Amino acid sequence: QCFRNVTGFMGDRNTNKNNMEHCYKLLNNMLQSMEDLRNEVYCQICKQTKNNPSEDSTLAGWQLMVICLACFPPGALLKDYLMAYCNENIDHANKPQVSQYAEFALHRVNPIVKLGARRELPTHVEVEACKRLQPVTVRVNFLDGKYVMMPVNSWTTAELFAEMLCIRLGIENSKPFAVFEVSSADEERVLEPDERILDLVAYWGRLIQEDRSKKGKNAEVEEFHFVFKVRLFFEISDDDLAAVEMMYIQATHDVVDARYPCSEQDSITLAALQVQEEFGDHPGEDCSYITGQMRKYLAEKYLEDQEP
């Protein structure tokens, strides 16, 4: 069956299924299979791409190779042979696209061996990105309501993702910060260093799909997103301005969200300092810029106490 899926994906045999259906059937079997069967699939792809007269079929085979390397590793006995085969195909002068895929695949063997098989089937977006050797863009939120869009691939771990975010934001000391999974029910957890970002995205998608199949297509279901924030309040240099800014955002958020025990007077003082930091010194006249914005600066419980 695996060979039928490989040849069906590559277009080497007539089939009623499209290549995506063959891809998912193959991956679904491989994620639950033993090492020997996974090795067999890699050997089949190598065999079908070697001296293949069809350029389209050969390219499809290398695309499938990359997709497989995004999902499950070759065994220890096959790893070196697979890397050697990829290396042989890098110098394909007549097939530059094959060279590109072979080089990409070569540099993905060690990462997938280190990470092991993923737990979820990749999303359609991820599979298409693998076929094009392109990253997938994911959104990362901050506690002040802002966000950034970050490129990731099938091998991007939470540890690497946090480092990428620090570089993007200009943070020099990355140790205090981490990526969190936060649900619409306001539950959160810090990601493990070796968790794969897109494997987690696929897991969220499956949970949502399962919930909607039970509750109805338009039902409200729990959703998830990434949040980058402080995990541990280490001492940081005053010169690390981006890190200081992130810690300031976290501190103000946690006070306003009543996560820190704080008296009413201290909360008012901190709110005043926050307004001063944002708008400058009091202009000596009515300040309309905070009208209707008090929930941004004070905990809800103190505002409710003032309402009639």
Side-chain angles (χ1 to χ4, degrees), residues 3 22-23 28 35 80 95 99 102 123-124 128 155 157 183-184 208 219 236 247 250 267 272 285 290:
F3 184 68
H22 285 295
C23 174
N28 190 49
E35 182 179 293
D80 290 343
K95 297 179 180 179
S99 299
T123 62
H124 282 254
E128 288 295 338
W155 304 268
T157 61
S183 74
S184 52
I208 291 171
I236 58 171
M247 288 203 168
Q250 177 104 14
S267 292
E285 54 192 42
I290 61 171

Side-chain angles (χ1 to χ4, degrees), residues 234-291:
F234 293 141
E235 189 73 28
I236 58 171
S237 169
D238 291 342
D239 295 331
D240 194 350
L241 298 180
V244 172
E245 176 69 14
M246 284 293 292
M247 288 203 168
Y248 170 75
I249 291 170
Q250 177 104 14
T252 55
H253 173 272
D254 288 347
V255 169
V256 173
D257 202 43
R259 296 192 177 201
Y260 288 159
C262 193
S263 69
E264 182 174 2
Q265 184 56 54
D266 284 343
S267 292
I268 292 171
T269 302
L270 290 170
L273 290 171
Q274 188 181 353
V275 172
Q276 184 185 37
E277 190 277 335
E278 187 171 345
F279 298 104
D281 292 339
H282 192 286
E285 54 192 42
D286 291 341
C287 298
S288 58
Y289 44 72
I290 61 171
T291 303

